[in-house]
Amino acid sequence: MIPRRAARARAFWLALAATLPAAEAAGCEAGDPSLVGHYYLSGVMETGSELLLRPDGRFDYMLAYGALDEIASGCWSRRGDMVTLAVSKFEASMDDPMKFDRLELAVTPRGGLSRRFEGGRTGVYSRPRGGR
């Protein structure tokens, strides 16, 4: 990890700690245990993103792209092959054209979560091998 990304990741986790009470207040329902874990985005150039799906139905999310940093938290649920992130708190470092209140991710055959971005780009959130 390059120093800038390390600093951004550290800042993300510190900011994330401040969002936890808001997510707990959202009254989330337990999520699908087969999808619980820490995911990392791949397939989108110059973009770093992580997603943490918690067993109690809460999620934490971050994305870094150029000067744009996003963090979000809220509740997640699964219906069929779709995972929906329902945001209770969203913060961005600047005006954010990618801001969302709800985000749908498609469950891939290998257990990843596929996300479509503007311009037809697709990235996949995956868990590290052997990890959750």
Side-chain angles (χ1 to χ4, degrees):
M1 186 181 294
I2 61 176
R4 182 175 176 202
R5 290 232 189 252
R8 288 169 87 168
R10 187 171 35 260
F12 162 69
W13 291 113
L14 289 173
L16 185 60
T19 69
L20 294 180
E24 286 179 322
C28 305
E29 294 183 24
D32 179 344
S34 71
L35 294 177
V36 168
H38 195 155
Y39 293 78
Y40 301 88
L41 180 68
S42 63
V44 183
M45 289 181 53
E46 300 178 8
T47 302
S49 184
E50 297 181 31
L51 175 63
L52 178 61
L53 299 181
R54 299 175 183 275
D56 62 3
R58 292 180 296 135
F59 78 86
D60 299 303
Y61 158 92
M62 69 79 62
L63 180 134
Y65 176 73
L68 174 65
D69 293 321
E70 301 175 333
I71 62 169
S73 61
C75 299
W76 70 276
S77 60
R78 179 181 188 171
R79 176 166 280 174
D81 287 337
M82 296 301 292
V83 168
T84 301
L85 306 180
V87 175
S88 60
K89 185 171 184 176
F90 191 103
E91 294 182 20
S93 61
M94 58 193 297
D95 285 338
D96 189 352
M98 296 189 301
K99 182 177 180 178
F100 58 88
D101 293 323
R102 296 177 69 78
L103 180 64
E104 293 198 343
L105 307 167
V107 179
T108 68
R110 293 186 175 183
L113 303 170
S114 177
R115 177 178 179 182
R116 296 205 42 119
F117 289 88
E118 291 180 11
R121 296 175 297 161
T122 301
V124 176
Y125 287 94
S126 302
R127 292 177 279 196
R129 292 184 191 250
R132 285 198 138 215

